[in-house]
Amino acid sequence: MSNRARFRGRRLAAVAAMGLVVAGSVLVARPVAHAAPQGEDPVLTGAAVARAGEKVTRREVIDRAKTWLTAHNGGPVPYNQNAHHDGYRADCSGFVSMAWKLDRPGLTTVTLPNVADLIDKNDLRPGDVLMNGGPGTGGDNGHVVIFEKWVDTAKTRYLGIEQAGYPANGTVYREISYPYGGDARFKPYRYRNIVDNRSGAVGTDVSGDGFADVLATTRDGKLWYYPNNIKSPGNNGLPFVSGYSVSFDNSRWHTHQRVVAGDVNGDGRADLLATSSDGTLWLYQNKLSGNDHPFDSAINVGGPNWTEDKFRLVAASDVTGDGYADALAVDADGKLWYFPNNINGSDKKPFGGGVAIGGDWRGFTRIMAADVSGDGYADILATDANGHLWYYVNGIIKNNGIPFTSGADVGSGWNWMNNVVLGDYNGDGRADIVATDPDGKLWFYPNSGAGDNPFPTRVVTPGSDWRGYDRIL
């Protein structure tokens, strides 16, 4: 009997004898591959592939997959090639079909490659899969697992979500050795209709509609919200016409040394991070509903190392492309620090230990982070004391986990502006700039998409005087 056959026998015996159920655990044992039953492997035509599913973001794939961890009486959906959950087959390929928003009851390991493309290992991102699929992989002969993220910088282990019969009879979230317990038959694939998360590009998207809004604070501590109305008739393609106060009577936004916006909790809407003089880092989660106050209370998520003399400049955006804003900071010695978001960790605090990622950033007067290139990863724009604008493209994939290594000068004259912020204001997937000048005018710089000159033109937003605001976000 082959090792594979013996392993499968142990798996079947364990499932039958124990009904093993594990949810949300990080396991280390290697499961046997499972696919749809034999005889359920039609080959899709080109037309069928085109109709296979709607577009889905990477964050949606991960969020949808994790719902099966608790969807069966508070526990994982049991594995069964002949059963269904919410219309999807309760095996590995049915599970991936659900996460990818494919048609019910789902494709099989034989047919999933018809809606996905082979990719390089180094290009794996949340929502992609590792699969032993294609002809001959029906029944127990194939398997597929959803990739979430790497566990180590060497890219030898990753966190995956799968529907399997062993070691858990159902949905399991666990650490896996690449590609799948060392099984070289597993290859990385990307669904053709998956799209990148927008949080890195969008910036201060308070409403969650995919268009960056503007927040502004007054010198007496009030917070104002300007919804983005760029698509509204009569606005002539300009994003901001009117705003309103979203502060309580006891608002004290002027007591915070720095305030930055980013989607920290991964719900698609911008939250606020603020530092106080004692070095505490505060998180204001977005709870916007209609015209209610979106930021009504603060949570202490760090300190006391966030004092202004420790970290001179702070920004927040999605550096890793996982749908959660990370933090960036420049310390007094000019080092750039990167704080990965770990809000789903046991303590629910997003930013624990940071890592210095090099460079001398002492000459910069401000840093901003959002997805300028449109690739789903936040880049950095920085202005220096001479008014030059520097563009640092995020290279976290090709540079082995180091996102920012070198920058390019892409403009001048920015020291004339009081405030400069970055976000996708026109909804095209690339971050634009809005800036205020000393006369109170708000300028809109749309992103041209040209890497060497991304902001060649500008237009003024009429009708507002922004001199009453000490910062805009």
Side-chain angles (χ1 to χ4, degrees):
M1 179 183 292
S2 69
N3 289 337
R4 178 179 173 84
R6 285 195 295 270
F7 191 64
R8 183 178 299 160
R10 292 199 302 270
R11 186 263 301 171
L12 292 173
V15 170
M18 297 184 294
L20 183 63
V21 175
V22 179
S25 301
V26 177
L27 306 176
V28 294
R30 173 188 166 192
V32 171
H34 305 91
Q38 296 280 5
E40 294 187 14
D41 301 329
V43 177
L44 293 178
T45 66
V49 170
R51 296 193 301 268
E54 60 185 279
K55 290 189 181 299
V56 61
T57 68
R58 297 185 180 281
R59 181 169 56 210
E60 285 180 301
V61 172
I62 299 302
D63 288 346
R64 287 170 66 86
K66 288 183 178 179
T67 63
W68 276 32
L69 290 169
T70 57
H72 182 72
N73 299 322
V77 174
Y79 177 88
N80 191 327
Q81 295 180 359
N82 298 302
H84 297 79
H85 180 79
D86 194 25
Y88 286 99
R89 203 174 49 255
D91 60 11
C92 66
S93 50
F95 171 67
V96 170
S97 298
M98 177 278 299
W100 281 358
K101 292 187 178 179
L102 299 179
D103 291 338
R104 294 173 173 84
L107 300 182
T108 70
T109 48
V110 172
T111 55
L112 274 174
N114 292 331
V115 297
D117 296 306
L118 280 166
I119 60 174
D120 187 79
K121 168 187 176 181
N122 292 322
D123 199 27
L124 274 166
R125 298 180 60 189
D128 296 330
V129 299
L130 279 303
M131 177 164 53
N132 173 24
T137 62
D140 283 344
N141 296 319
H143 188 55
V144 60
V145 56
I146 296 173
F147 175 91
E148 184 186 34
K149 60 184 177 182
W150 294 108
V151 173
D152 60 338
T153 57
K155 298 180 181 178
T156 63
R157 294 172 292 120
Y158 63 94
L159 289 177
I161 316 166
E162 62 184 327
Q163 184 73 358
Y166 180 87
N169 180 26
T171 318
V172 61
Y173 175 49
R174 69 188 190 95
E175 184 178 305
I176 303 171
S177 298
Y178 184 85
Y180 189 76
D183 191 335
R185 294 173 301 170
F186 283 76
K187 307 296 182 185
Y189 284 84
R190 175 165 298 157
Y191 176 43
R192 289 173 189 157
N193 280 349
I194 199 167
V195 295
D196 292 319
N197 304 314
R198 297 291 308 283
S199 66
V202 175
T204 310
D205 181 13
V206 177
S207 64
D209 64 357
F211 295 82
D213 309 297
V214 161
L215 294 169
T217 60
T218 61
R219 291 174 179 81
D220 61 353
K222 298 295 189 293
L223 180 68
W224 281 71
Y225 170 39
Y226 285 79
N228 189 327
N229 296 306
I230 196 168
K231 297 297 184 181
S232 298
N235 283 359
N236 298 317
L238 297 175
F240 309 109
V241 175
S242 61
Y244 56 91
S245 174
V246 289
S247 293
F248 292 104
D249 290 338
N250 63 348
S251 291
R252 293 292 183 270
W253 290 93
H254 61 300
T255 64
H256 291 304
Q257 292 181 331
R258 282 80 52 88
V259 183
V260 296
D263 184 10
V264 176
N265 61 15
D267 66 355
R269 299 179 301 181
D271 310 296
L272 295 182
L273 290 170
T275 61
S276 54
S277 58
D278 64 356
T280 302
L281 180 67
W282 299 93
L283 170 63
Y284 291 81
Q285 296 194 74
N286 187 332
K287 300 178 181 179
L288 183 67
S289 176
N291 286 341
D292 293 337
H293 304 289
F295 310 106
D296 59 359
S297 60
I299 304 170
N300 183 337
V301 294
N305 292 326
W306 292 87
T307 55
E308 199 165 26
D309 59 350
K310 169 65 175 177
F311 291 117
R312 188 171 56 86
L313 304 173
V314 178
S317 199
D318 183 11
V319 175
T320 60
D322 64 355
Y324 296 83
D326 309 293
L328 297 164
V330 176
D331 68 18
D333 296 326
K335 292 187 180 67
L336 179 67
W337 287 76
Y338 163 50
F339 295 83
N341 189 324
N342 191 37
I343 197 169
N344 294 320
S346 58
D347 62 0
K348 301 301 181 184
K349 291 188 176 182
F351 309 113
V355 57
I357 54 177
D360 186 350
W361 294 70
R362 284 175 294 184
F364 294 115
T365 57
R366 62 170 67 89
I367 62 169
M368 304 159 284
D371 183 12
V372 177
S373 66
D375 65 354
Y377 297 84
D379 309 298
I380 285 181
L381 290 179
T383 57
D384 64 23
N386 296 319
H388 287 265
L389 182 68
W390 291 80
Y391 176 25
Y392 288 78
V393 178
N394 189 327
I396 195 168
I397 298 298
K398 66 180 182 180
N399 294 331
N400 295 318
I402 305 299
F404 309 108
T405 54
S406 60
D409 187 342
V410 294
S412 60
W414 293 89
N415 52 348
W416 178 61
M417 295 295 184
N418 294 339
N419 293 282
V420 182
V421 292
L422 194 58
D424 184 11
Y425 300 103
N426 59 13
D428 67 354
R430 297 188 300 263
D432 316 293
I433 288 176
V434 295
T436 58
D437 67 20
D439 296 326
K441 294 185 179 67
L442 182 72
W443 295 88
F444 171 45
Y445 295 78
N447 189 330
S448 69
D452 59 347
N453 187 21
F455 309 105
T457 61
R458 66 176 185 169
V459 59
V460 68
T461 300
S464 297
D465 187 345
W466 293 78
R467 285 177 291 188
Y469 301 113
D470 60 346
R471 63 166 73 94
I472 62 172
L473 313 171

